[in-house]
Amino acid sequence: MEQQKLPNSTLIIVLAILSYVICCFYGVGAIVAIVAIILASNATKAYKQNPEMYTDYSTVKTGKIIAIIGLIINILLILLVVWIISIVGWDALQDEELARERLEDFFNK
């Protein structure tokens, strides 16, 4: 029987890398990273059921690791944004001077 590539192995690595690129869009990269992790888990299950049938398992493992790191970075960014909103306040995000005053008050305490 001829070996074939694992399903979605290229898509997994592309989505994992994309989760880094779009992490600056306030958590959208987290969704992409979760999709990559789910696809990688499904591909890993298929590989473990019949390892001699598939190639590219290393690509799937690499994509899963990159997606996990991308997910962590996106979660940290979301937490940072929530922290900044809790310090500055939602109303001050539109007014630069008010935001600057509130940040100075917070850090000078």
Side-chain angles (χ1 to χ4, degrees):
M1 193 167 186
E2 188 176 321
Q3 285 189 330
Q4 57 186 355
K5 289 177 76 172
L6 274 166
N8 300 322
S9 62
T10 306
L11 180 62
I12 292 166
I13 199 86
V14 168
L15 288 176
I17 293 170
L18 193 62
S19 71
Y20 283 120
V21 175
I22 61 175
C23 74
C24 58
F25 293 116
Y26 305 108
V28 176
I31 297 168
V32 176
I34 290 170
V35 170
I37 291 169
I38 292 171
L39 289 175
S41 296
N42 292 339
T44 301
K45 287 177 189 173
Y47 178 78
K48 288 185 177 181
Q49 287 177 352
N50 198 355
E52 61 274 349
M53 186 175 165
Y54 296 110
T55 61
D56 267 359
Y57 182 61
S58 63
T59 304
V60 171
K61 287 193 313 185
T62 304
K64 189 173 185 177
I65 291 168
I66 294 171
I68 290 170
I69 295 169
L71 180 63
I72 292 169
I73 289 172
N74 278 284
I75 289 172
L76 290 174
L77 181 66
I78 291 169
L79 292 174
L80 176 68
V81 169
V82 169
W83 181 68
I84 289 173
I85 290 173
S86 70
I87 291 173
V88 174
W90 191 257
D91 57 330
L93 290 178
Q94 300 299 320
D95 185 7
E96 185 178 337
E97 287 298 318
L98 182 59
R100 184 174 292 128
E101 285 176 21
R102 289 186 182 173
L103 282 172
E104 287 174 358
D105 288 343
F106 177 77
F107 287 113
N108 289 331
K109 287 184 181 180

